Amino acid sequence: MRILERVEMPPVEPGPQIVAESPAMRELLQTVARVGPKDVTVLLRGETGTGKELIASLLHAQSARSSSPLVRFNCAAIPDELAEAELFGHTRGAFSGADKTRPGFFSLATGGTIVLDEVGELSPAVQAKLLRVLQEGEIQQVGAGRMERVDVRVIACTNRDLAAEARRARFRMDFFYRLAVVEIVVPALRDHRQDIPALAREFAQRYGQRFGNPDVRLSLALLDALAEEDWPGNVRELENTIARMVVVSGSGEISVDALEGSRLSVAQGAAGAPGSREPLSLRDQLAAYERRIIARAMTAAMGNQSRAARLLGLSRTSLFERLRKYKLATAVAVPDL
């Protein structure tokens, strides 16, 4: 699937999409304001769900390229054998099924910005080809006999420590240095908890309008409880949680019980029937806790098992076995809101 995404220029100051009441987020936006106008390659590093794509959009909006395309390429979504053709384009007849010449993502982003999301997923072979683009400003379409000049700013996003992976020869060191001319770390939500109440209110208002429940509001007790959560899936997990609350709630105030009820619905499947007051054995308590953690990771990863496995530090096979054990394969699926 080929995706060209153009975005409207977001405000330079924090607007409805970016909540920045905490020192950590204000410092981040100050850094973005300094780096955005500089035509340099930027590496955005942070956990899944922290909002790296939004920060990339803001960097583009504050640059001289803001009137040109902002193109996103998900490095993890394209098989390695197709990545080169998608990034650089291909000529007619370059390979089986290439019935016509197609431009690649770099050509589509000419004059603007390309965001390489999950750049740590690229193979060394593709990294080497991208290194040439960063060094020489040239691409070569698959099947073409000549190089083509491109004028594109590159912003890369990753949830990995690429410097550490480069030291262990798991990522090309030369490519890392070309990507990280400026490295910006987007903080995890637990590191700027002061923003959680404002973010929760913003999401409640947004989804209240979307789902025809404009009078919905969050109780103070609920806001306090949200601020105490660790949110391993960060802002994305918080947003999904608020969206689900708004969907199932009526008009008016949502109480803290909505959050607690969500926790119980996750744990009860492994701990016995709802409402059971019999004490649980240690084995049952550990199973219930493990089930809850896996369910939260699956929610944070939007049902993507590979991402959830990385969050949990498990292999995909181990995660799949636990999903079957706790009957979570469909129980924690997040609806497309």
Side-chain angles (χ1 to χ4, degrees), residues 165-198:
E165 295 203 4
R167 288 192 295 270
R168 298 184 181 96
R170 297 175 183 171
F171 195 83
R172 288 186 63 114
M173 183 70 76
D174 48 2
F175 185 47
F176 166 73
Y177 283 129
R178 286 289 180 176
L179 284 178
V181 175
V182 175
E183 183 176 28
I184 298 176
V185 178
V186 183
L189 186 54
R190 61 182 173 276
D191 295 328
H192 58 106
R193 294 177 184 272
Q194 302 99 311
D195 294 319
I196 292 177

Side-chain angles (χ1 to χ4, degrees), residues 258-286:
L259 181 61
E260 189 63 26
S262 175
R263 291 174 180 167
L264 288 173
S265 67
V266 169
Q268 283 170 346
S276 173
R277 297 189 179 184
E278 294 184 8
L280 300 176
S281 68
L282 177 60
R283 177 181 298 177
D284 288 339
Q285 292 183 59
L286 291 175

Side-chain angles (χ1 to χ4, degrees), residues 218-231:
L218 310 180
S219 71
L220 293 178
L222 175 55
L223 291 172
D224 289 341
L226 293 171
E228 292 298 318
E229 288 286 305
D230 285 336
W231 301 110

Side-chain angles (χ1 to χ4, degrees), residues 203-216 246:
F203 294 143
Q205 181 181 17
R206 179 186 308 173
Y207 288 103
Q209 294 290 338
R210 178 181 297 184
F211 300 132
N213 193 4
D215 297 328
V216 70
V246 171

Side-chain angles (χ1 to χ4, degrees), residues 1-2 73 78 81-108 139-146 148 150:
M1 180 182 295
R2 303 179 62 81
F73 180 80
I78 305 296
E81 60 271 17
L82 297 179
E84 184 180 354
E86 288 294 306
L87 284 166
F88 309 134
H90 61 80
T91 61
R92 180 181 179 183
F95 51 83
S96 177
D99 55 348
K100 61 181 178 180
T101 297
R102 288 184 179 272
F105 277 68
F106 271 90
S107 296
L108 295 173
I139 63 172
Q140 184 175 13
Q141 286 190 337
V142 176
R146 60 182 179 84
E148 173 188 343
V150 289

